[in-house]
Amino acid sequence: RTLDAISANHPCALQSLRSGRPSGVIRTASRLLEKANAVLIGPGIPSDDLNLIPLLCLFIREAKNLVIDAGALIAIAHDKEHIFPLLRHRDIPAVLTPHMGEFARITAGVGEISPDDPIQVAAMILANELKSVIVLKNSKTAIAVPDGHMYINDIENSGMAKGGSGDVLAGLLAADHNVRRVRTV
């Protein structure tokens, strides 16, 4: 019934029932990946969910375009030795969207970290280290790309400090990949 209610109110939302076992979740996710141009993982998933790490690893290996946020970022911080190499080997850089707390967890023990300059770290170390795009959410959003370039949105907006606004940003980033695909078909 829940899926029916969501479908009625959000007809564009993709939904699928899943088993509680990681093997069933992976099978379902693999099937859905065949149709997906972009994947967003993290919002609404507790970082200790038993399915999170297997799903995250599958998406890092198989998703064409990937946005990683929220609980999935915390999972990365807990399993860097396994997940960092997977991110480095993607053909298309993943997009990680940490807020300052998630960023601190991910960067703990990575390279020459200067806690006084997190934007510098995002631009020079983490994006390069992970071969990923880092969208560091703070009062000013910094976007660091693997080649060393950095872009800063210095228009401060207190509305972005509200709970859930990062989930919206991550959703917009993932949706943009699908919109561009539709325009080119």
Side-chain angles (χ1 to χ4, degrees):
R1 291 183 180 234
T2 301
L3 293 181
D4 292 338
I6 292 171
S7 292
N9 290 301
H10 302 284
C12 293
L14 299 177
Q15 311 169 76
S16 178
L17 289 174
R18 63 178 177 93
S19 78
R21 296 181 22 234
S23 60
V25 171
I26 294 299
R27 258 192 317 278
T28 300
S30 294
R31 249 189 353 264
L32 293 171
L33 266 176
E34 293 173 10
K35 302 174 191 173
N37 191 50
V39 172
L40 165 60
I41 183 169
I45 301 177
S47 60
D48 61 351
D49 185 308
L50 296 177
N51 296 311
L52 181 56
I53 293 291
L55 273 175
L56 181 59
C57 292
L58 171 71
F59 293 154
I60 291 171
R61 285 191 312 270
E62 304 289 330
K64 181 177 177 184
N65 297 292
L66 178 62
V67 179
I68 303 173
D69 189 41
L73 292 170
I74 296 168
I76 288 173
H78 289 118
D79 198 5
K80 293 177 198 173
E81 304 78 31
H82 182 230
I83 295 176
F84 277 15
L86 293 175
L87 286 167
R88 283 186 207 112
H89 288 99
R90 284 183 51 82
D91 292 333
I92 298 172
V95 178
L96 283 68
T97 60
H99 58 57
M100 294 304 290
E102 293 161 338
F103 182 74
R105 288 183 189 118
I106 293 170
T107 58
V110 176
E112 298 282 325
I113 302 298
S114 167
D116 299 327
D117 196 354
I119 293 174
Q120 183 76 8
V121 172
M124 297 178 66
I125 296 175
L126 194 62
N128 184 49
E129 169 83 13
L130 300 181
K131 306 294 185 242
S132 297
V133 176
I134 308 299
V135 179
L136 182 58
K137 302 175 290 193
N138 199 8
S139 61
K140 297 178 181 179
T141 301
I143 302 168
V145 294
D147 68 4
H149 285 87
M150 181 175 58
Y151 307 91
I152 297 176
N153 178 357
D154 60 359
I155 300 171
E156 296 185 34
N157 180 342
S158 62
M160 294 306 291
K162 305 291 186 245
S165 62
D167 296 347
V168 172
L169 172 64
L172 289 170
L173 290 168
D176 183 57
H177 290 296
N178 287 312
V179 169
R180 282 186 273 145
R181 178 177 179 227
V182 170
R183 277 192 226 135
T184 60
V185 172

